[in-house]
């Protein structure tokens, strides 16, 4: 695989997304929906039906608000009863701590190569408690410099708002426009890089695999090891070898 043309100074650091970039987020969401279903059963609701409705809502868009409210309404819960059920079910969702989340093939090896080549950070959106549980379960020690954008002021600071990437760049000691961002969502990961004059590699995997390439990334690949290999090529490093295959 040959790298696209790169003009100008090379990147000095790499920032990766978490959900659907390093591991399949569907694995976490399935566990969280099951936790909500168990809590719903304890509240006298049909837990299996709630789990199924919540799973459907999450599949339609996992980062939109009001998913539990919508799931309850879909199974026939009266709107007047939502204040009774929603808070404990939200607590069950946010309190879900998976024992293990399995990274995509080759991710651990690729991250090790990137961390040896340049400063490496992770920028992720979401409830800080939820993201912390995911990071603990995915078990990737190379992600030592992590910023959850919501800690900066809630959902308004999620990507593509540039504050998270700018803050993380400062922690990494790298000019923000000299970062290379790797992520699965053009409207978030590619867009936040563009907002600060940096470049991005887009992965076609996970929930947004079929999203249009708008804005356009520097490169578009199908796996994280391929993205890492491209990043290493412009960082002046050797190709990554993962899952028995050399990309280069």
């Amino acid at each position: 695989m040959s790298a696209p043309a790169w003009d100008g100074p090379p990147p000095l650091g790499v920032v990766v997304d978490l959900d659907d970039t390093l591991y399949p987020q569907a694995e976490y969401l399935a566990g969280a929906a099951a936790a909500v279903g168990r809590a719903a059963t304890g509240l006298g609701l049909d837990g299996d039906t709630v789990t199924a409705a919540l799973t459907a809502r999450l599949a339609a868009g996992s980062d939109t608000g009001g998913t539990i409210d919508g799931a309850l309404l879909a199974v026939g819960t009266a709107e007047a009863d939502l204040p009774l059920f929603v808070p404990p079910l939200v607590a069950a969702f946010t309190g879900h701590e998976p024992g293990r989340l399995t990274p995509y093939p080759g991710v651990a090896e690729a991250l090790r190569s990137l961390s040896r080549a340049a400063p490496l950070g992770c920028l992720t959106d979401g409830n800080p408690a939820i993201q912390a549980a995911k990071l603990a379960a995915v078990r990737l020690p190379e992600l030592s410099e992590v910023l959850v954008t919501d800690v900066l002021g809630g959902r308004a600071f999620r990507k593509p708002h540039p504050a998270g990437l700018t803050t993380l760049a400062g922690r990494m000691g790298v000019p923000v426009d000299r970062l290379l961002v790797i992520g699965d969502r053009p409207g978030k990961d590619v867009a936040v890089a563009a907002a600060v004059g940096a470049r991005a590699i887009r992965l076609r995997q996970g929930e947004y695999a079929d999203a249009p390439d708008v804005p356009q990334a520097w490169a578009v690949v199908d796996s994280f090891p391929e993205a890492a290999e491209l990043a290493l090529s412009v960082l002046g490093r050797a190709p990554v070898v993962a899952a028995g295959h050399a990309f280069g």
Side-chain angles (χ1 to χ4, degrees), residues 18-26 104 184 203 205-208:
L18 175 61
D19 300 312
D20 280 336
T21 293
L22 302 182
Y23 82 100
Q25 183 173 221
Y104 285 115
D184 65 296
L203 306 181
Q205 62 186 22
E207 182 180 341
Y208 296 92

Side-chain angles (χ1 to χ4, degrees), residues 8 22 30 40 42 49 55 59 112 118 125-126 139 177 179 184 196 210 226 240 243 247:
L22 302 182
T49 301
T55 299
R112 281 195 290 271
D125 294 335
R139 301 179 193 173
D177 61 345
L179 291 173
D184 65 296
V196 298
D210 296 326
E226 291 178 279
V240 171
F247 298 96

